[in-house]
Amino acid sequence: MRLFLLVACLASVASGDVLPCRWVHLSRVPETAADVAAITNIVATGAASGMNGLLWNAGFDYLGLWPKAKRENLSRVKAFCDGKGVEIVPMLWSVGYGVFCNFGVRNPDDINLAEGLPETDVPYVRRGAKAVHAPGPDAEVDVNGGFERTVRTPRGEFPAQWQALDTAGRFLVLDRSVAHGGKASVRLEAFKDSLDGQARLYLPGLKLKTNRHYVVTGWIKASDDFAPREALRVMAMQNGHVLLLCNVSRTVSGEWSKFTVPIHPCEEGELNLYIGVWGGRSGRLWVDDVRVVDVGVPGVLRREGCPFTVRDAASGRVYEEGRDYAPVAHVKTLLCPAEPKSIELAIPDGSAIREGTRLLVTGYSPVTVKDGAQCSTCMSEPRLYELMRRSAQDVRDALHPKTWFLTMDEVRMGGTCAACAARKTDMAHILGDCVTRAHGIIREVSPAARVCIWSDMFNPVHNARGRVYYCKGSFENAWAYVPKDIVMVDWYGAKYGESLPFWKEHGFTVIGATYYDAPLENRAGPDLRELRSYPNVIGAIYTTWRNDYGKLAAFGKLLDEGVR
């Protein structure tokens, strides 16, 4: 297959057909006739502009479960694409964004395929017919989140323990006239005068217990003219890498509203917590009553790779589920609730757990990252590959694609559950094995298929680095553990000067993803100039996340005419 791609690439270059794969990216499900009309209109515009591929994200992972009407709509789109000479490239199996576990479409129990983070030796106690979370006095960390304790700075009063990443007294102000609770809040303002509209509170040296489930909560309100790109962001760093990055609210009003963000340290080391605005434009935002609290075990995953145990805190005796405490159900959602509460254990008659017995509970919970909505799939669970195989057969039968696309980008959780830990390896090997198995599953149903993948987790100047969010272990050299005939789809245009030589040196074929809703002359033009200079680059993609296809014809013209 690798030889076939190389020969095809050289033949295209020899005939003057530089960047022969010319695709347009689309995220839209063909639910209705209106969807079909919109999709075919985009295909028609693209085909008239020389585009020959539709890189399509439509939930094809679950295609076998689509209702008849939806499958008929898919057939209409396929027939239209075939008539226009446009190849459908299905996007599949995003382990980074929780394929097969986020929705539990085939089976509600598949929610347990989510990667689990350990909660170890969480204190519980039997009280009556239940065992409940028994937090100690250090469960809530003192962060002076009401901003009542202050220190003097050259620019006036500021909350003790906290620092201003952006000038205190100008962009961040202690406000004693507005408060949610107590007598003070912190006001963020003057965004247009700060670098990139930033106004950020910073809490250094936060000491949290390892393998415990905390939440950061707080209250915010805004002036009527507040206008940021994102209302509020919470970020945490540990040992030099980002652990958490969450845009907690995209809409905020003049009334106080609460935010809740989970945070789960899996290694030793102090954390630095950031709360503030990035990209503010106008108005004011108030923050108050920030808390950091250990919430125990708010929910557990139940699979072999996520064992659940209850033992006696004094003797170490391990109690039996179903006899000493009632069976514990798995979580029903992967999202963090606004008011997370630790699970309770029902104690049946005849239990060996006596009244007042101190217990230590250990389990594995899902934790969302990046805007509180992303939870990755465990790549060490055999059922993942069973579902991939069934999905591949469904996609083959419906589309017979020549090219398949693995959306295995932005993997931000992995290596933490017992199934991953038992492999005694790093994330580079775990991801590489997952991709190799997915590649093999595709080739089982379509032996001549070309397989593409987002490149970021294999790109040493992108996400293939040491620690990534909640992942345990490095992604370094992940590129070395995937099939060499896989096509890397590189979307980090700013680093093409480094990544394109790397892909060429290591023998990978490349397609460049560009545009990304920027002016063509600022992004696509420079990207295409670099892409055209490498013989192993075989294509370019018009990539929009805003459903902006207004520049598609102009993009096709750039491809046809070249960039001078």
Side-chain angles (χ1 to χ4, degrees):
M1 187 64 188
R2 182 179 173 189
L3 178 61
F4 169 80
L5 290 175
L6 178 59
V7 171
C9 177
L10 292 175
S12 297
V13 172
S15 65
D17 188 13
V18 181
L19 306 182
C21 296
R22 302 176 176 202
W23 300 347
V24 55
H25 173 268
L26 174 69
S27 290
R28 187 158 184 166
V29 180
E31 294 279 4
T32 65
D35 293 321
V36 172
I39 294 166
T40 53
N41 183 60
I42 292 166
V43 171
T45 301
S49 307
M51 310 301 283
N52 56 20
L54 178 65
L55 180 60
W56 195 5
N57 178 14
F60 291 122
D61 312 302
Y62 309 101
L63 194 154
L65 298 180
W66 284 15
K68 180 181 178 182
K70 189 173 174 181
R71 292 176 67 89
E72 290 174 347
N73 286 340
L74 175 62
S75 296
R76 293 186 182 97
V77 173
K78 184 180 185 307
F80 187 87
C81 289
D82 290 345
K84 293 292 184 180
V86 173
E87 173 188 8
I88 292 178
V89 181
M91 303 180 76
L92 295 163
W93 307 338
S94 176
V95 294
Y97 284 85
V99 65
F100 302 126
C101 69
N102 260 341
F103 307 104
V105 172
R106 288 192 182 273
N107 184 337
D109 289 343
D110 286 337
I111 196 171
N112 293 300
L113 290 174
E115 181 62 23
L117 277 71
E119 279 134 11
T120 306
D121 291 343
V122 179
Y124 269 62
V125 64
R126 176 173 178 177
R127 291 177 181 159
K130 296 179 180 179
V132 297
H133 183 214
D138 59 349
E140 179 165 0
V141 184
D142 179 11
V143 297
N144 186 31
F147 310 128
E148 303 301 317
R149 302 193 306 274
T150 63
V151 294
R152 297 295 302 178
T153 75
R155 288 181 172 268
E157 276 189 295
F158 203 72
Q161 297 179 240
W162 295 83
Q163 298 178 21
L165 274 186
D166 310 284
T167 308
R170 185 179 182 192
F171 306 121
L172 298 109
V173 179
L174 184 73
D175 192 335
R176 293 196 179 279
S177 65
V178 175
H180 173 263
K183 299 179 180 179
S185 66
V186 171
R187 187 176 72 243
L188 287 59
E189 61 186 9
F191 306 113
K192 65 183 179 63
D193 297 325
S194 71
L195 179 66
D196 296 327
Q198 295 174 346
R200 300 160 296 171
L201 280 163
Y202 169 50
L203 179 66
L206 184 59
K207 297 179 180 179
L208 303 182
K209 292 181 179 179
T210 304
N211 293 337
R212 291 294 179 85
H213 196 125
Y214 292 83
V215 293
V216 179
T217 64
W219 293 81
I220 54 176
K221 64 177 291 187
S223 61
D224 292 339
D225 59 342
F226 178 65
R229 289 195 298 268
E230 307 289 351
L232 186 78
R233 178 177 293 177
V234 177
M235 183 173 77
M237 296 191 69
Q238 184 181 37
N239 299 331
H241 75 274
V242 174
L243 188 68
L244 166 73
L245 179 61
C246 185
N247 296 309
V248 300
S249 176
R250 288 183 170 83
T251 57
V252 64
S253 68
E255 301 296 325
W256 287 104
S257 61
K258 186 178 182 179
F259 65 84
T260 302
V261 176
I263 186 167
H264 195 301
C266 289
E267 61 181 25
E268 299 292 338
E270 294 181 347
L271 280 78
N272 296 326
L273 180 66
Y274 307 79
I275 299 176
V277 172
W278 282 252
R281 295 192 295 272
S282 62
R284 296 174 169 183
L285 181 78
W286 288 265
V287 180
D288 200 4
D289 289 338
V290 176
R291 301 174 65 200
V292 180
V293 181
D294 180 348
V295 293
V297 184
V300 290
L301 300 167
R302 301 307 310 268
R303 56 180 166 88
E304 187 175 346
C306 291
F308 182 82
T309 60
V310 177
R311 61 189 178 91
D312 192 293
S315 69
R317 174 182 177 178
V318 176
Y319 291 105
E320 182 178 340
E321 185 173 8
R323 187 178 71 178
D324 296 318
Y325 59 95
V328 176
H330 62 68
V331 294
K332 298 298 187 290
T333 177
L334 300 178
L335 301 179
C336 178
E339 301 290 342
K341 296 179 181 179
S342 194
I343 62 173
E344 297 180 341
L345 306 178
I347 308 299
D349 293 340
S351 170
I353 302 173
R354 304 305 181 194
E355 178 68 20
T357 299
R358 295 281 172 175
L359 306 169
L360 297 175
V361 173
T362 295
Y364 291 78
S365 290
V367 176
T368 53
V369 298
K370 202 63 172 28
D371 300 350
Q374 181 183 359
C375 188
S376 299
T377 304
C378 175
M379 292 177 278
S380 298
E381 282 294 334
R383 178 153 171 81
L384 169 64
Y385 303 99
E386 296 173 13
L387 293 171
M388 282 184 178
R389 185 165 283 106
R390 189 180 306 179
S391 171
Q393 293 165 351
D394 294 336
V395 170
R396 176 204 57 196
D397 294 345
L399 295 174
H400 301 284
K402 296 177 181 178
T403 305
W404 302 57
F405 196 102
L406 299 174
T407 57
M408 296 185 179
D409 59 322
E410 298 182 344
V411 178
R412 296 185 172 118
M413 299 178 68
T416 53
C417 73
C420 290
R423 301 175 69 171
K424 300 185 185 302
T425 189
D426 60 12
M427 286 304 302
H429 285 82
I430 290 175
L431 177 61
D433 176 67
C434 179
V435 171
T436 299
R437 294 176 71 174
H439 178 277
I441 288 168
I442 291 170
R443 288 290 175 79
E444 287 174 12
V445 301
S446 182
R450 172 169 55 191
V451 181
C452 302
I453 193 168
W454 289 126
S455 70
D456 59 302
M457 301 311 304
F458 312 94
N459 188 341
V461 298
H462 205 166
N463 287 330
R465 56 183 189 270
R467 287 296 303 272
V468 177
Y469 287 77
Y470 285 118
C471 294
K472 188 172 184 179
S474 172
F475 284 97
E476 292 175 324
N477 298 318
W479 59 269
Y481 309 117
V482 300
K484 283 297 183 68
D485 66 354
I486 204 163
V487 179
M488 291 292 173
V489 179
D490 196 325
W491 51 278
Y492 198 2
K495 293 287 186 177
Y496 276 172
E498 298 174 65
S499 61
L500 294 181
F502 176 85
W503 299 128
K504 180 182 176 184
E505 176 186 354
H506 292 284
F508 285 98
T509 303
V510 176
I511 294 174
T514 184
Y515 174 49
Y516 284 98
D517 305 299
L520 292 179
E521 64 274 14
N522 292 351
R523 177 73 188 265
D527 284 355
L528 290 173
R529 272 192 288 270
E530 289 202 74
L531 292 169
R532 287 175 183 275
S533 64
Y534 287 87
N536 61 313
V537 178
I538 63 169
I541 305 171
Y542 180 92
T543 317
T544 174
W545 298 131
R546 298 177 183 172
N547 296 316
D548 176 11
Y549 297 94
K551 299 180 182 68
L552 181 54
F555 183 84
K557 189 175 181 181
L558 279 178
L559 286 168
D560 285 338
E561 296 180 353
V563 181
R564 300 178 178 86

